[in-house]
């Protein structure tokens, strides 16, 4: 009988541990996790050092979407904001990653490197800053995936996750 109690206790602990580990990778932020005085944010256009205006535009749209989705209580404005969010597209690469037996490229790896600055205008301090944040995304041409639709989109999604995770650790 005591053996069964120990097993039940162990199984409950194991299930609880699995839930904790499973949820530890989930990131999001809300207006309540931002400093309480941040009610408005201005998201500046992406400064583009790669001369790829389409990619810079896609990154800007993704950052706007990230704020709208995760910080709904914060209004996005064009000026006089409580906080400014600036991002610079530093570099972009698209290189072959895997080859098949005929030496044909099967997958490519897209890498995007940015700098990010989230500045609190009210308290005049940096909320979050990174001078070199990098994310990548692969795409498989054998599956008719494309650089812009699949590779870049995956890299931008990872950038969003990195920004959220890193910014949360700062405030």
């Amino acid at each position: 009988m005591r053996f069964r109690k120990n097993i039940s206790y162990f199984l409950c602990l194991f299930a609880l541990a699995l839930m904790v580990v499973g949820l530890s990778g989930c990131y999001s932020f809300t207006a309540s996790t931002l400093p309480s005085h941040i009610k408005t944010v201005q998201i500046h256009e992406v400064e583009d050092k790669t001369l790829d205006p389409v990619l810079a535009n896609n990154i800007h749209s993704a950052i706007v979407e990230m704020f709208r989705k995760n910080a709904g209580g914060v209004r996005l404005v064009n000026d006089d904001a409580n906080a400014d969010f600036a991002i610079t597209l530093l570099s972009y690469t698209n290189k072959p990653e895997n080859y098949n037996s005929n030496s044909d490229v099967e997958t490519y790896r897209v890498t995007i490197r940015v700098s990010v600055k989230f500045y609190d205008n009210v308290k005049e301090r940096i909320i979050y800053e990174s001078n070199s944040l990098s994310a990548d995304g692969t795409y498989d041409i054998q599956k008719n995936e494309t650089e812009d639709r699949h590779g870049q989109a995956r890299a931008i999604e990872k950038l969003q996750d990195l920004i959220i995770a890193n910014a949360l650790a700062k405030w």
Side-chain angles (χ1 to χ4, degrees):
M1 188 69 147
R2 182 165 168 77
F3 178 72
R4 284 186 183 168
K5 275 187 176 180
N6 286 344
I7 295 244
S8 294
Y9 180 72
F10 174 74
L11 288 175
C12 285
L13 284 176
F14 182 72
L16 182 62
L18 279 177
M19 286 179 12
V20 167
V21 168
L23 292 175
S24 67
C26 300
Y27 294 108
S28 71
F29 64 80
T30 63
S32 64
T33 59
L34 288 170
S36 60
H37 61 277
I38 305 282
K39 305 287 185 217
T40 58
V41 174
Q42 179 178 1
I43 300 172
H44 296 273
E45 292 298 320
V46 173
E47 183 182 342
D48 183 9
K49 301 213 179 207
T50 68
L51 304 177
D52 188 340
V54 173
L55 179 57
N57 233 9
N58 290 343
I59 291 171
H60 181 265
S61 296
I63 297 303
V64 168
E65 175 192 328
M66 178 184 77
F67 270 90
R68 285 195 173 130
K69 181 178 176 186
N70 296 298
V74 173
R75 264 184 334 125
L76 300 180
V77 297
N78 293 326
D79 55 11
D80 295 328
N82 300 133
D84 286 313
F85 190 93
I87 191 163
T88 302
L89 176 55
L90 300 171
S91 66
Y92 173 76
T93 60
N94 178 32
K95 296 181 179 178
E97 183 179 55
N98 290 317
Y99 298 85
N100 64 17
S101 59
N102 295 331
S103 297
D104 297 324
V105 178
E106 287 185 337
T107 61
Y108 285 87
R109 178 172 300 276
V110 163
T111 304
I112 298 171
R113 193 170 60 88
V114 299
S115 68
V116 176
K117 186 174 184 180
F118 194 15
Y119 188 78
D120 182 336
N121 292 322
V122 176
K123 296 206 175 179
E124 297 181 346
R125 66 177 186 88
I126 295 171
I127 298 171
Y128 168 65
E129 182 175 36
S130 175
N131 292 324
S132 183
L133 196 59
S134 184
D136 57 24
T138 58
Y139 63 99
D140 188 338
I141 59 173
Q142 304 297 316
K143 295 179 181 175
N144 291 322
E145 293 183 340
T146 62
E147 174 185 358
D148 57 344
R149 185 151 180 240
H150 298 92
Q152 288 179 7
R154 289 174 182 140
I156 290 171
E157 187 176 309
K158 285 182 183 178
L159 272 178
Q160 289 173 309
D161 291 343
L162 284 170
I163 290 168
I164 291 170
N166 291 326
L168 271 178
K170 302 290 182 191
W171 63 68

